[in-house]
Amino acid sequence: MPELDEKGNKKKFFMTISIVIFMAALVLPSVLWVFVHLAGEEAVAALDYDLGENRNKASFPDTFSSSLMGEIEEYYNDRLPFRSVIISANRKLTSMIEKPYDRMVEKGDDLPPRVHNDATIEGREKWLFFAKENSLEDYLGSNILSTEQMESYLTGMKELQEVCKAKGKQVFFMIPPNKEQVYSEFMPSYTVEDPYKKAQRLVDYIQENSDVKIIYPIKELKAAKDKWQLYLKTDTHWNSAGAFIGVQALYALMGLPTTELESLTVLEEPVYNGDLLGMGNLNWEDYAGDKTYTVYYRLDVEVTEELGNGTGAGADLYSTAASSANPCNFVMLGDSFRINMGPYLSKDFDRCTLINIFSAGEPDARNAIENADIIVVELVERNIINFPNIMSAVCEILEQ
């Protein structure tokens, strides 16, 4: 019996130690996080930094629903003590584990496809690409629209064009290309199923069968990419130079004067975080060398009013007034590609409003659409599936 008691005591001891360690792991980070906050904003900023996730943190739920517990969990996960440090350490560990694979891949013509976290494609020369939201299918040419589908898109565009015309407004459509189409030389060795791909087919069909004004500036971007880096290497979006080329292509479609990027003062700037790093759980230090630019455009024009900040949550509706020579109320409804176009568009129109397509029904957005002289509907190539919904929403706003 004494021997059994001794074993039982040892078991209880180790169970107690395990519970203490477990509770300490739960409680200690929160306690330490309180002391970090007491140390000041600099200490917090050093440990709670941007991970390049390109999204807003989850908000605390304000209504009761069946998904309440999941929403609370998302809220808490986005605010875990030392979250940035933990995720960065995990990325570095993942990078160390994958280095032997990197050494095995030769620099020759063949680069086997490798996708991180089901989201980020590892390309050549540290270029990263998007594997989700139709991007890979768009690149492979595996999701071609039927003639009936393209006719449906065209019908919606013509309907919106007629509604705008009756209201004395102009409407234009813009499809920024996916990064994979512009920098395909850095993609892994995929087999492209059809080189005549969905977006180009759709634009060609619309231009051949109507007077709808639409631009897919793939040619303009490819022509400029030897002089400038136009998309971020570690992000899904174009940078300031790519956005500038896109805006000038839009102006050409609209019959407005255009400006050559080479004629302006352009300063290169480094970029340290991209959304593809966060989505792929990758360490940014392994992908250094990304860049964007500061473009000094129309320094003679002053932006006199500004609503929203043009980035992040403030970009859902970003409105400016400027001392522009173009007395026009310009509205662009678009996805995140609209954001980097803002600094140029805001200098070229008396009133410029950029609206997130999912915020079109908000009162300020509706008011801007109703008072617009020019409306541009912008959707990046991987998002063109949203054209019918946004065109229907704008028609509904204008017809009320």
Side-chain angles (χ1 to χ4, degrees), residues 49-53 84 87-96 98 102 114-123 126-129 233-235 272-288:
Y49 44 82
D50 182 21
L51 291 165
E53 294 174 293
S84 297
I87 292 177
S88 294
N90 178 260
R91 290 177 181 177
K92 290 182 179 181
L93 178 61
T94 301
S95 174
M96 292 174 61
E98 291 184 345
D102 293 336
R114 178 166 52 135
V115 181
H116 301 278
N117 209 27
D118 295 326
T120 300
I121 299 171
E122 180 84 23
K126 298 297 183 180
W127 279 77
L128 301 177
F129 299 94
K233 296 175 70 174
T234 60
D235 199 283
Y272 299 104
N273 270 326
D275 59 8
L276 289 169
L277 292 173
M279 288 186 284
N281 196 32
L282 300 171
N283 177 27
W284 74 266
E285 292 175 339
D286 295 327
Y287 298 88

Side-chain angles (χ1 to χ4, degrees), residues 64 152 171 246 266 296 317 379:
F64 183 82
S152 176
V171 64
V266 182
Y296 292 88
L317 189 145
L379 289 173

Side-chain angles (χ1 to χ4, degrees), residues 144-302:
I144 304 300
L145 295 172
S146 67
T147 302
E148 291 75 15
Q149 288 173 313
M150 292 191 290
E151 180 60 30
S152 176
Y153 278 71
L154 177 55
T155 299
M157 291 178 181
K158 289 166 68 175
E159 179 182 353
L160 178 55
Q161 182 175 259
E162 288 301 313
V163 171
C164 287
K165 185 178 180 180
K167 298 286 185 177
K169 308 177 189 298
Q170 293 178 284
V171 64
F172 302 89
F173 300 90
M174 183 179 193
I175 304 176
N178 292 343
K179 173 181 172 181
E180 295 77 23
Q181 311 292 19
V182 179
Y183 286 98
S184 56
E185 67 270 27
F186 296 114
M187 282 287 283
S189 301
Y190 288 105
T191 300
V192 174
E193 297 180 26
D194 192 331
Y196 190 25
K197 301 174 186 178
K198 179 173 69 176
Q200 189 65 67
R201 280 178 183 260
L202 177 62
V203 171
D204 288 347
Y205 181 85
I206 291 168
Q207 292 176 339
E208 291 167 4
N209 293 279
S210 74
D211 61 352
V212 169
K213 301 297 184 181
I214 188 167
I215 184 70
Y216 174 62
I218 186 76
K219 292 180 181 178
E220 291 84 351
L221 290 162
K222 285 187 173 182
K225 73 176 187 177
D226 289 338
K227 298 177 183 177
W228 314 93
Q229 180 182 317
L230 304 179
Y231 285 65
L232 295 165
K233 296 175 70 174
T234 60
D235 199 283
T236 58
H237 299 88
W238 55 17
N239 61 15
S240 56
F244 184 90
I245 299 300
V247 166
Q248 301 311 307
L250 175 63
Y251 287 173
L253 177 72
M254 297 169 64
L256 298 177
T258 59
T259 304
E260 294 293 330
L261 187 55
E262 291 82 357
S263 69
L264 304 175
T265 300
V266 182
L267 300 182
E268 184 178 310
E269 290 185 357
V271 176
Y272 299 104
N273 270 326
D275 59 8
L276 289 169
L277 292 173
M279 288 186 284
N281 196 32
L282 300 171
N283 177 27
W284 74 266
E285 292 175 339
D286 295 327
Y287 298 88
D290 207 353
K291 62 184 177 183
T292 186
Y293 305 90
T294 296
V295 179
Y296 292 88
Y297 181 65
R298 294 202 181 280
L299 300 181
D300 58 316
V301 176
E302 180 185 2

